Amino acid sequence: DAGVTQSPTHLIKTRGQQVTLRCSPKSGHDTVSWYQQALGQGPQFIFQYYEEEERQRGNFPDRFSGHQFPNYSSELNVNALLLGDSALYLCASSLGGLLAKNIQYFGAGTRLSVL
Amino acid sequence: KNEVEQSPQNLTAQEGEFITINCSYSVGISALHWLQQHPGGGIVSLFMLSSGKKKHGRLIATINIQEKHSSLHITASHPRDSAVYICAAPYGGSQGNLIFGKGTKLSVKP
């Protein structure tokens, strides 16, 4: 039973480019949350997807967008990349949307470097 | 002020020592998460607890909802326990998203 998988593991982009990160949730999970972790900081919540819709959003600009597919996998898109977008992007999956009390399972993350 | 505060930020221990990491939070929550992050980024969920105490192997987590405080204890610490330990609280009382502490970097020396 695969856990949460993210791709790619590492990515290098230049300022102004666009990037797409992918996440496959743990088998049986229907909710995907995305987090940004800057170096030396705790993760910051970006948004959460449930039933193919964005259900909650953190304090991130519209350059950050996402999508959830019918198979519950998810993508995080970042447009017009800035140097400050360099971070580890973590995906977490859980069951049951906003009110779930189930634990979140995290992927290994995608390390994005913007040059 | 961060809504989830951890202490200490850094902790160095000798193998075999008993370790305590503390977490205080200002938001009202129904449960709190303890997570472990190894170098390279992967995060492992250790505990989610809403009251009392939970134990898994050498790890023990306690929470006092009224005092808004939780502790993670490691008994008989081992170098493989070296990692960053993070506590996280659901924002707004729901499980919708998590607010993370900045983490405690633990280094256990042989």
Side-chain angles (χ1 to χ4, degrees), chain B residues 15 36 38 58 76-83 85 106 108-109:
Chain B
E15 184 173 356
Q36 180 192 56
H38 282 281
R58 295 181 294 105
S77 60
H78 190 276
R80 65 175 175 266
D81 297 328
S82 298
Y85 292 84
L106 171 65
V108 181
K109 307 292 186 187

Side-chain angles (χ1 to χ4, degrees), chain A residues 33 35 37 40-45 48 56-58 88 90 97-109 111, chain B residues 2 30-31 33-35 37 40-48 84 86 91 94-103:
Chain A
S33 301
Y35 298 87
Q37 186 177 25
Q41 301 293 317
Q44 299 283 320
F45 175 72
Q48 183 184 69
Q56 264 194 328
R57 189 179 182 92
L88 179 70
L90 294 161
L98 289 178
L99 299 181
K101 291 194 174 183
N102 290 332
I103 204 162
Q104 291 195 28
Y105 290 82
F106 285 82
R111 175 78 60 188
Chain B
N2 199 19
S30 56
H33 299 252
W34 279 102
L35 310 161
Q37 187 171 31
I43 288 181
V44 175
S45 296
L46 298 174
F47 296 103
M48 186 179 73
V84 176
I86 305 171
Y91 182 76
S94 80
Q95 298 294 324
N97 72 70
L98 297 176
I99 300 175
F100 292 78
K102 291 187 177 181

Side-chain angles (χ1 to χ4, degrees), chain A residues 30-32 47-50 52-54 65-68 74:
Chain A
D30 59 7
T31 304
V32 173
F47 43 53
Q48 183 184 69
Y49 276 84
Y50 172 64
E52 301 180 48
E53 289 188 15
E54 183 184 294
S65 63
H67 189 78
Q68 185 178 34
S74 177

Side-chain angles (χ1 to χ4, degrees), chain B residues 13-66:
Chain B
Q14 286 299 125
E15 184 173 356
E17 284 186 3
F18 180 83
I19 289 163
T20 296
I21 299 170
N22 295 302
C23 176
S24 297
Y25 50 91
S26 57
V27 294
I29 65 168
S30 56
L32 183 122
H33 299 252
W34 279 102
L35 310 161
Q36 180 192 56
Q37 187 171 31
H38 282 281
I43 288 181
V44 175
S45 296
L46 298 174
F47 296 103
M48 186 179 73
L49 67 165
S50 56
S51 66
K53 181 169 77 173
K54 283 191 176 180
K55 184 175 189 292
H56 181 70
R58 295 181 294 105
L59 301 177
I60 303 167
T62 63
I63 190 168
N64 185 318
I65 293 288
Q66 287 76 23

